[in-house]
Amino acid sequence: MARAKKLPIFERYASDGRFLGYRVRIRQQIKGQEPVQIQRQFDRIDDARTFAVAELDRINAGKETYADRREAESTTLSEALDRYLAEVIPGKKGEVQDRRRVEAWKRDALASRSLASIKGKDLAKWRDVRATAGIAAGTIRRDLAVISHLFTVAVKDWGMGGLVNPVENVRQPKPGRARDRRLDSHLDENGKSEGDRLLAACDASPNPWLAPMVRMALETAMRQSELLGLKWKDVDLGRKVVHLEDTKNGERRDVPLSSAAVDVLKAIPRSVDGRVFAVSLGRFNVQWRKARKAAGCTGLRFHDLRHEATSRLFEKGLNPMEAAAVTGHKSLSMLKRYTHLRAEDLARKLG
């Protein structure tokens, strides 16, 4: 076999004399590391030379800091996602949603590619295809965040050398407009507002936890997950305070209770498991959708009640710091995204 221009390039032939192509074979000792061993097959001599020169330059440019890319080149995105599912996802906040995102990524064509081969341009193409299909910008950003975190873990925790996070080279889609859905205060022909109709539908629900949860959401701005995880041991009706040990942003907080919220809690029967709202997320959501439909609350999400409650705090006269202490928002910019004051109310204040 002939060597081309002293580069580690070898011609390959089959036993019957057929030419098979050019193999690049590099083996170099790196101080403090296992020997670097690289093999790659090419059909064209120019491609083999380009690869060999680039790899040798990369190794020789910094032998002390050379990163062995073999594991990153031999590990597919699908395999890395499986490891991510097993080692990283368990116990994360938003574990259920992240599992769904990981499973969706495993079905993507990029899953069969090696980690080292995935570039920013590949994810940019994926982003554009998703955007064209009508996927919301926020969803795309959260899906990319999973891949970004996976690459970070692969480098820092799994020791995959020479790996570059491709998400850092992708332009993120702009965040969508903040939702501004509030309960309509206008009265219908029966003299009922949208909030009145919603609460009446919840009261009529066979699920005894639906109406109290909705009322508590409107009084406290607590998230659905916070309400479902609330335990009686964390409720102090005497001090009119609820202690939240586990919140979305990872910080504990005490939520002050209005008199209406205290009345709601006093009326709830105590469950044997110690939870305030002894209902599963699935069962609750089924009854929530039914009540929402019965009340004619088109497009209303449960999380919109947090927007409604936050806005009501300002309408009651709380300043931004006081409102943030109730809602748990870590920044005033995020608090602003949840605050939607009605123009007609402001007009009345102006006189």
Side-chain angles (χ1 to χ4, degrees):
M1 293 187 289
R3 182 174 297 189
K5 288 188 177 182
K6 297 184 179 180
L7 289 172
I9 302 174
F10 303 86
E11 296 177 353
R12 296 192 63 238
Y13 294 90
S15 57
D16 59 3
R18 288 181 297 108
F19 178 67
L20 299 178
Y22 301 91
R23 172 174 291 175
V24 175
R25 188 185 311 163
I26 298 174
R27 179 182 172 86
Q28 288 211 26
Q29 182 68 46
I30 302 295
K31 183 178 180 180
Q33 298 187 33
E34 293 183 7
V36 175
Q37 300 183 70
I38 301 173
Q39 289 196 85
R40 191 68 63 82
Q41 183 85 7
F42 296 92
D43 294 329
R44 298 172 64 246
I45 185 63
D46 288 344
D47 293 337
R49 286 173 179 156
T50 300
F51 176 81
V53 169
E55 286 299 304
L56 289 171
D57 286 347
R58 191 162 68 90
I59 295 171
N60 293 323
K63 287 190 175 182
E64 297 299 325
T65 58
Y66 176 78
D68 187 347
R69 290 164 53 89
R70 284 176 294 174
E71 187 175 5
E73 290 174 344
S74 63
T75 303
T76 66
L77 176 59
S78 181
E79 292 168 340
L81 287 167
D82 284 336
R83 186 173 178 181
Y84 189 80
L85 272 175
E87 298 180 11
V88 181
I89 291 290
K92 280 187 65 178
K93 292 188 182 300
E95 177 179 345
V96 174
Q97 296 89 336
D98 279 350
R99 284 187 178 276
R100 292 190 188 124
R101 293 188 182 100
V102 168
E103 293 298 340
W105 272 113
K106 289 186 64 178
R107 294 190 294 271
D108 193 89
L110 287 173
S112 63
R113 298 261 300 272
S114 73
L115 292 179
S117 73
I118 298 175
K119 309 298 181 186
K121 64 181 181 180
D122 300 314
L123 294 178
K125 181 178 179 181
W126 171 91
R127 173 203 63 203
D128 293 342
V129 170
R130 298 270 286 171
T132 302
I135 306 301
T139 299
I140 295 174
R141 291 168 66 93
R142 287 187 287 273
D143 289 345
L144 285 173
V146 168
I147 296 301
S148 180
H149 190 236
L150 181 146
F151 271 80
T152 298
V153 170
V155 172
K156 293 185 176 180
D157 294 352
W158 301 343
M160 294 192 183
L163 196 58
V164 176
N165 188 341
V167 180
E168 294 178 356
N169 298 318
V170 178
R171 179 173 49 83
Q172 297 275 348
K174 293 181 180 180
R177 294 176 58 188
R179 284 181 64 83
D180 57 1
R181 180 69 161 88
R182 289 195 60 180
L183 294 173
D184 192 345
S185 60
H186 293 92
L187 305 182
D188 61 15
E189 62 276 9
N190 298 315
K192 302 291 185 181
S193 68
E194 185 178 35
D196 295 332
R197 298 195 306 272
L198 176 64
L199 290 174
C202 291
D203 286 333
S205 170
N207 189 320
W209 312 111
L210 181 61
M213 261 189 70
V214 169
R215 286 187 166 89
M216 282 294 290
L218 290 171
E219 289 296 324
T220 65
M222 289 171 63
R223 300 177 179 90
Q224 186 182 46
S225 60
E226 293 168 347
L227 289 165
L228 287 174
L230 186 62
K231 294 182 171 57
W232 281 113
K233 66 182 181 62
D234 296 321
V235 177
D236 188 335
L237 294 179
R239 293 175 54 231
K240 300 175 68 173
V241 171
V242 162
H243 176 71
L244 297 180
E245 184 68 23
D246 187 21
T247 65
K248 181 180 178 181
N249 59 29
E251 295 187 354
R252 306 181 185 94
R253 84 173 186 273
D254 288 331
V255 181
L257 300 175
S258 65
S259 298
V262 170
D263 291 341
V264 170
L265 291 172
K266 285 182 176 179
I268 297 176
R270 301 295 179 104
S271 58
V272 293
D273 64 359
R275 296 164 61 204
V276 175
F277 302 102
V279 60
S280 68
L281 174 63
R283 285 182 57 201
F284 178 85
N285 283 339
V286 168
Q287 295 301 324
W288 161 257
R289 287 192 289 268
K290 288 181 178 179
R292 181 184 62 185
K293 182 177 180 181
C297 300
T298 305
L300 183 69
R301 304 174 185 174
F302 188 86
H303 197 69
D304 292 330
L305 301 184
R306 181 163 161 83
H307 291 251
E308 176 70 27
T310 303
S311 300
R312 289 183 181 184
L313 292 176
F314 284 98
E315 291 168 351
K316 289 180 178 180
L318 273 66
N319 64 45
M321 294 304 296
E322 291 171 331
V326 176
T327 65
H329 287 108
K330 297 182 71 174
S331 68
L332 294 181
S333 60
M334 185 56 68
L335 179 63
K336 183 177 182 296
R337 284 176 64 90
Y338 276 77
T339 305
H340 311 287
L341 303 178
R342 294 188 177 94
E344 56 268 35
D345 295 334
L346 295 176
R348 281 193 292 270
K349 286 189 174 183
L350 292 174

mmCIF file of all heavy atoms in Angstrom, residues 134-150:
data_model
loop_
_atom_site.group_PDB
_atom_site.id
_atom_site.type_symbol
_atom_site.label_atom_id
_atom_site.label_comp_id
_atom_site.label_asym_id
_atom_site.label_seq_id
_atom_site.Cartn_x
_atom_site.Cartn_y
_atom_site.Cartn_z
ATOM 1 N N GLY A 134 -45.573 26.010 12.126
ATOM 2 C CA GLY A 134 -46.455 26.718 13.048
ATOM 3 C C GLY A 134 -46.177 26.470 14.519
ATOM 4 O O GLY A 134 -46.994 26.836 15.377
ATOM 5 N N ILE A 135 -45.044 25.848 14.839
ATOM 6 C CA ILE A 135 -44.696 25.617 16.242
ATOM 7 C C ILE A 135 -44.327 26.945 16.894
ATOM 8 O O ILE A 135 -43.592 27.751 16.324
ATOM 9 C CB ILE A 135 -43.518 24.634 16.362
ATOM 10 C CG1 ILE A 135 -43.834 23.338 15.609
ATOM 11 C CG2 ILE A 135 -43.206 24.355 17.817
ATOM 12 C CD1 ILE A 135 -45.058 22.627 16.097
ATOM 13 N N ALA A 136 -44.832 27.179 18.085
ATOM 14 C CA ALA A 136 -44.614 28.447 18.783
ATOM 15 C C ALA A 136 -43.133 28.657 19.095
ATOM 16 O O ALA A 136 -42.394 27.701 19.356
ATOM 17 C CB ALA A 136 -45.423 28.483 20.077
ATOM 18 N N ALA A 137 -42.723 29.919 19.072
ATOM 19 C CA ALA A 137 -41.326 30.265 19.333
ATOM 20 C C ALA A 137 -40.881 29.778 20.706
ATOM 21 O O ALA A 137 -39.762 29.285 20.876
ATOM 22 C CB ALA A 137 -41.134 31.773 19.212
ATOM 23 N N GLY A 138 -41.746 29.902 21.695
ATOM 24 C CA GLY A 138 -41.399 29.458 23.043
ATOM 25 C C GLY A 138 -41.131 27.964 23.105
ATOM 26 O O GLY A 138 -40.226 27.511 23.811
ATOM 27 N N THR A 139 -41.923 27.190 22.366
ATOM 28 C CA THR A 139 -41.729 25.736 22.327
ATOM 29 C C THR A 139 -40.389 25.399 21.690
ATOM 30 O O THR A 139 -39.643 24.540 22.182
ATOM 31 C CB THR A 139 -42.862 25.067 21.535
ATOM 32 O OG1 THR A 139 -44.111 25.343 22.171
ATOM 33 C CG2 THR A 139 -42.670 23.560 21.465
ATOM 34 N N ILE A 140 -40.052 26.071 20.596
ATOM 35 C CA ILE A 140 -38.773 25.837 19.922
ATOM 36 C C ILE A 140 -37.621 26.177 20.847
ATOM 37 O O ILE A 140 -36.631 25.441 20.940
ATOM 38 C CB ILE A 140 -38.699 26.654 18.620
ATOM 39 C CG1 ILE A 140 -39.761 26.167 17.625
ATOM 40 C CG2 ILE A 140 -37.308 26.564 17.997
ATOM 41 C CD1 ILE A 140 -39.857 27.000 16.370
ATOM 42 N N ARG A 141 -37.718 27.289 21.556
ATOM 43 C CA ARG A 141 -36.658 27.700 22.471
ATOM 44 C C ARG A 141 -36.476 26.669 23.587
ATOM 45 O O ARG A 141 -35.346 26.336 23.963
ATOM 46 C CB ARG A 141 -36.979 29.069 23.069
ATOM 47 C CG ARG A 141 -36.902 30.212 22.074
ATOM 48 C CD ARG A 141 -37.509 31.490 22.644
ATOM 49 N NE ARG A 141 -36.744 32.004 23.757
ATOM 50 C CZ ARG A 141 -35.787 32.912 23.638
ATOM 51 N NH1 ARG A 141 -35.459 33.397 22.455
ATOM 52 N NH2 ARG A 141 -35.143 33.351 24.706
ATOM 53 N N ARG A 142 -37.571 26.140 24.125
ATOM 54 C CA ARG A 142 -37.460 25.148 25.202
ATOM 55 C C ARG A 142 -36.887 23.827 24.686
ATOM 56 O O ARG A 142 -36.122 23.158 25.397
ATOM 57 C CB ARG A 142 -38.829 24.938 25.852
ATOM 58 C CG ARG A 142 -39.265 26.126 26.733
ATOM 59 C CD ARG A 142 -40.532 25.817 27.485
ATOM 60 N NE ARG A 142 -41.698 25.820 26.619
ATOM 61 C CZ ARG A 142 -42.410 26.892 26.319
ATOM 62 N NH1 ARG A 142 -42.068 28.075 26.809
ATOM 63 N NH2 ARG A 142 -43.476 26.808 25.537
ATOM 64 N N ASP A 143 -37.243 23.449 23.463
ATOM 65 C CA ASP A 143 -36.678 22.227 22.881
ATOM 66 C C ASP A 143 -35.176 22.381 22.649
ATOM 67 O O ASP A 143 -34.397 21.451 22.899
ATOM 68 C CB ASP A 143 -37.372 21.904 21.560
ATOM 69 C CG ASP A 143 -38.808 21.425 21.757
ATOM 70 O OD1 ASP A 143 -39.159 21.071 22.892
ATOM 71 O OD2 ASP A 143 -39.576 21.420 20.769
ATOM 72 N N LEU A 144 -34.753 23.545 22.172
ATOM 73 C CA LEU A 144 -33.321 23.793 21.980
ATOM 74 C C LEU A 144 -32.585 23.824 23.320
ATOM 75 O O LEU A 144 -31.419 23.414 23.407
ATOM 76 C CB LEU A 144 -33.116 25.117 21.241
ATOM 77 C CG LEU A 144 -33.411 25.113 19.742
ATOM 78 C CD1 LEU A 144 -33.329 26.530 19.172
ATOM 79 C CD2 LEU A 144 -32.445 24.192 18.985
ATOM 80 N N ALA A 145 -33.258 24.300 24.355
ATOM 81 C CA ALA A 145 -32.631 24.368 25.673
ATOM 82 C C ALA A 145 -32.261 22.977 26.186
ATOM 83 O O ALA A 145 -31.244 22.803 26.865
ATOM 84 C CB ALA A 145 -33.557 25.069 26.667
ATOM 85 N N VAL A 146 -33.084 21.974 25.865
ATOM 86 C CA VAL A 146 -32.778 20.603 26.267
ATOM 87 C C VAL A 146 -31.491 20.130 25.611
ATOM 88 O O VAL A 146 -30.613 19.543 26.259
ATOM 89 C CB VAL A 146 -33.949 19.659 25.902
ATOM 90 C CG1 VAL A 146 -33.536 18.203 26.045
ATOM 91 C CG2 VAL A 146 -35.156 19.946 26.785
ATOM 92 N N ILE A 147 -31.353 20.386 24.300
ATOM 93 C CA ILE A 147 -30.145 19.978 23.590
ATOM 94 C C ILE A 147 -28.931 20.741 24.114
ATOM 95 O O ILE A 147 -27.846 20.173 24.275
ATOM 96 C CB ILE A 147 -30.317 20.196 22.076
ATOM 97 C CG1 ILE A 147 -31.428 19.299 21.550
ATOM 98 C CG2 ILE A 147 -29.025 19.909 21.324
ATOM 99 C CD1 ILE A 147 -31.199 17.822 21.768
ATOM 100 N N SER A 148 -29.101 22.021 24.382
ATOM 101 C CA SER A 148 -27.997 22.814 24.910
ATOM 102 C C SER A 148 -27.513 22.254 26.237
ATOM 103 O O SER A 148 -26.299 22.103 26.469
ATOM 104 C CB SER A 148 -28.439 24.272 25.073
ATOM 105 O OG SER A 148 -27.380 25.057 25.579
ATOM 106 N N HIS A 149 -28.441 21.900 27.114
ATOM 107 C CA HIS A 149 -28.058 21.361 28.414
ATOM 108 C C HIS A 149 -27.409 19.990 28.265
ATOM 109 O O HIS A 149 -26.440 19.666 28.968
ATOM 110 C CB HIS A 149 -29.271 21.276 29.335
ATOM 111 C CG HIS A 149 -28.903 20.953 30.753
ATOM 112 N ND1 HIS A 149 -29.424 19.876 31.441
ATOM 113 C CD2 HIS A 149 -28.037 21.558 31.606
ATOM 114 C CE1 HIS A 149 -28.911 19.843 32.658
ATOM 115 N NE2 HIS A 149 -28.071 20.844 32.790
ATOM 116 N N LEU A 150 -27.909 19.188 27.335
ATOM 117 C CA LEU A 150 -27.311 17.876 27.096
ATOM 118 C C LEU A 150 -25.841 18.010 26.685
ATOM 119 O O LEU A 150 -24.975 17.292 27.196
ATOM 120 C CB LEU A 150 -28.088 17.122 26.012
ATOM 121 C CG LEU A 150 -27.593 15.720 25.672
ATOM 122 C CD1 LEU A 150 -28.765 14.815 25.303
ATOM 123 C CD2 LEU A 150 -26.606 15.730 24.501
#
